[in-house]
Structure formats: structure tokens, C-alpha cells
């Protein structure tokens, strides 16, 4: 199989492989196994793995794994810095072009659906993040609750409010921020065309367990391992840095906010763990909703013992 794929890759039109799936599905493990079988190079599509020092809670591959299967676009920002979908598109295009230019196949791996969609379908021109506006909105949320801000969003931008869950503070804040900065609803601005979509053909593969209960079990085991590996200590180290606060985009990553609250004494350890698991399950549900809208995607069962061989056969058939 690998010889066939290598032979074809030298003569066919350039392509890339997009390996998507909900958190906890095992995307990284499968991608690493693909590296040993195909002429692929991994490009991370993960909005949390971009941050240095956030290794355990993001599920970042360990150093020995990265030696065997290097990941591009991880550890490229400090935790107090921002990273946008537009910046990802710029960086990903550069890495993809470099891989294709050397005869390889880009293997894009991750669970950040916005990044995948922005790269492949283009991105509307929205204003960059504004820290002052975000701090102002966060202070309002602290006083009145995110539900109140969601109700304000419903008055300003009903279409955005309809698709943003009242318990999704990051997206509520972003929609209100865009309105504060431009005076126009974000849903209206999303209709304006942005940068041209990336035209390299893509084989889209979605990895997910066939049963929701299995995914929840994987999520729980994964988070328990994170705690055993030192997630609390990792967040404590970040919290001790004067340039990092709990309202930064990096600290909104699932698990980090919950552990931060535990370190500040707002919740006990058991509550922190349960809230982290609940937030991760909610993230997985949102990701699956997003993934079901992916056109022409091939779904593979993460629990199938033959998942690697079946995926290789599929790629060989379409290659």
C-alpha cells in the first residue's frame, strides 16, 4: 500500500489529507501511524496546541512522538498572545506549499473546525481581536452573567444568537466584540467574501467512535491521564506568570479554565474534574455537529481494530 501511494504521489495532481474528528477520538495516534506508512507530513489544525507550555491539557504529542512524526504549527505562540483563523490560514498555506514542493502529502490533523473551514472555503473579513473590548465584555459578564450578554446579542444580531449557545462565552464575546468594533452584526459581515479558498484537492476523513458512550469513555480516560501527568501543575505554572490571566483565549481551552478555578479555591478537585469532563463532552458534541455538515467526508470508526488498513485502502482507491 505505501509503495503504491508513494508511486502515485509523484505523478498525480497535488492533494492533501484532512483527518478530522471530535476531541478524544484518537486523531493524533492514527496520524502518527500514517506517517510510517505514507509520504505524509503532519500539519496541526488545533487552536490550543499553538501555545507553548500548554502540553498536557491540549493532548500535545510527547517529544519522542514528535521526533518520529513532527507536527507543524504547534508551539508557535506564547500563551498570552492571540492566534486567529486568518493567521492559521496564512501559516497553513505556507506549510502545505512547502510539503507539496518537496513531493510530500500534507496531512492536516485536528479538531478545530473553524480552521479547516476557513482554509478550504475562505474566511470573511472580520476585525482582529481587541483586548480592551474583550476585557470590558468580560467584566460585564462577571457582573450580569453570560446569559445577559447572550440576550443582548439576540437584540443586536438575532441570527448569530440563534446559532451560538447561551453557554458558549467565547463565541458570545466574539460576536459582541465584532459589533462593538464595527457597528455591524457579525452575521451580516460573514456574508462578505474574504480570502480565496485554498484550492488544493483534499481527502476528508472523519475519525469518531460509532457510539457516543464510547467517546465519553475515551474523554474520561484521557482527562484522567492528563491529571496523572500533571495538568494541575501545568496550569499552576501558567497562572504564576504575570502576563497570563484567566480571560486570555489560551486559558479558555477546555480544562484550563476549570483547573484555574480550582487553583483559586472556587471549586474543589472533584467539581473541577466533573466540570472539565462536562465541558469536554460539550465540545465534542459541537464538533460532531460541525463535522456532520462536511461534504464528501468519509467516516471511519475509531474503535475498529482495522481502522488503519481500511483508511489506507480508501486513500489508495481515491489516490
Amino acid at each position: 500500500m505505501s509503495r503504491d501511494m508513494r508511486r502515485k504521489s509523484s505523478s498525480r495532481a497535488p492533494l492533501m489529507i484532512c483527518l478530522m474528528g471530535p476531541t478524544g477520538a484518537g486523531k493524533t495516534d492514527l496520524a502518527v501511524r500514517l506517517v510510517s506508512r505514507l509520504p505524509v507530513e503532519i500539519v496541526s489544525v488545533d487552536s490550543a496546541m499553538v501555545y507553548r507550555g500548554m502540553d498536557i491539557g491540549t493532548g500535545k504529542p510527547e517529544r519522542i512522538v514528535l521526533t518520529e512524526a513532527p507536527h507543524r504549527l504547534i508551539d508557535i505562540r506564547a500563551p498570552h498572545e492571540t492566534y486567529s483563523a486568518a493567521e492559521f490560514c496564512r501559516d497553513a498555506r505556507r506549510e502545505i506549499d512547502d510539503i507539496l514542493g518537496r513531493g510530500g502529502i500534507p496531512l492536516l490533523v485536528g479538531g478545530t473546525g473553524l480552521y479547516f473551514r476557513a482554509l478550504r472555503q475562505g474566511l470573511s473579513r472580520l476585525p482582529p481581536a481587541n483586548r480592551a473590548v474583550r476585557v470590558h465584555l468580560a467584566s460585564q459578564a462577571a457582573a450580569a452573567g453570560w446569559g445577559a450578554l447572550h440576550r443582548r446579542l439576540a437584540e443586536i444580531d438575532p441570527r448569530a444568537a440563534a446559532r451560538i449557545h447561551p453557554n458558549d462565552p467565547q463565541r458570545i464575546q466574539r460576536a459582541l466584540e465584532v459589533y462593538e468594533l464595527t457597528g455591524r452584526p457579525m452575521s451580516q459581515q460573514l456574508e462578505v467574501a474574504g480570502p480565496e479558498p485554498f484550492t488544493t484537492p483534499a481527502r476528508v476523513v472523519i475519525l469518531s467512535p460509532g457510539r457516543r458512550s464510547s467517546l465519553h469513555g475515551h474523554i474520561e480516560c484521557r482527562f484522567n491521564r492528563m491529571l496523572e501527568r500533571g495538568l494541575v501543575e501545568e496550569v499552576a505554572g501558567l497562572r504564576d506568570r504575570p502576563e497570563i490571566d484567566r480571560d486570555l483565549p489560551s486559558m479558555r481551552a477546555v480544562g484550563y479554565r476549570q483547573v484555574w478555578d480550582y487553583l483559586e479555591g472556587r471549586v474543589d478537585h472533584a467539581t473541577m474534574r466533573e466540570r472539565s469532563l462536562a465541558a469536554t463532552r460539550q465540545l465534542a458534541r459541537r464538533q460532531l455537529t460541525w463535522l456532520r455538515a462536511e461534504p464528501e467526508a468519509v467516516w471511519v470508526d475509531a474503535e475498529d481494530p482495522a481502522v488503519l488498513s481500511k483508511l489506507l485502502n480508501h486513500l489508495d482507491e481515491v489516490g
Side-chain angles (χ1 to χ4, degrees), residues 102-122:
R102 292 184 291 103
I105 301 173
L107 173 58
L108 278 66
V109 183
T112 304
L114 174 62
Y115 284 8
F116 275 112
R117 188 165 295 180
L119 178 67
R120 294 168 53 222
Q121 299 181 17

Side-chain angles (χ1 to χ4, degrees), residues 64 85 100 142 172 194 198 203 223 228 231 239 264 271 282:
I64 188 169
L100 292 172
I172 295 170
F198 199 55
R203 305 289 180 249
F223 189 71
E228 292 169 0
L231 175 60
R239 182 170 169 267
E264 291 193 340
T271 302
Q282 290 171 1

Side-chain angles (χ1 to χ4, degrees), residues 166-211:
N167 294 330
D168 192 343
Q170 186 170 353
R171 288 185 172 83
I172 295 170
Q173 185 185 57
R174 177 56 176 161
L176 289 172
E177 176 190 37
V178 169
Y179 182 79
E180 291 284 341
L181 292 171
T182 67
R184 296 171 55 208
M186 186 171 74
S187 60
Q188 185 182 99
Q189 298 189 54
L190 288 172
E191 297 172 351
V192 180
E196 289 296 317
F198 199 55
T199 56
T200 297
R203 305 289 180 249
V204 180
V205 178
I206 297 174
L207 179 71
S208 180
R211 298 172 298 165

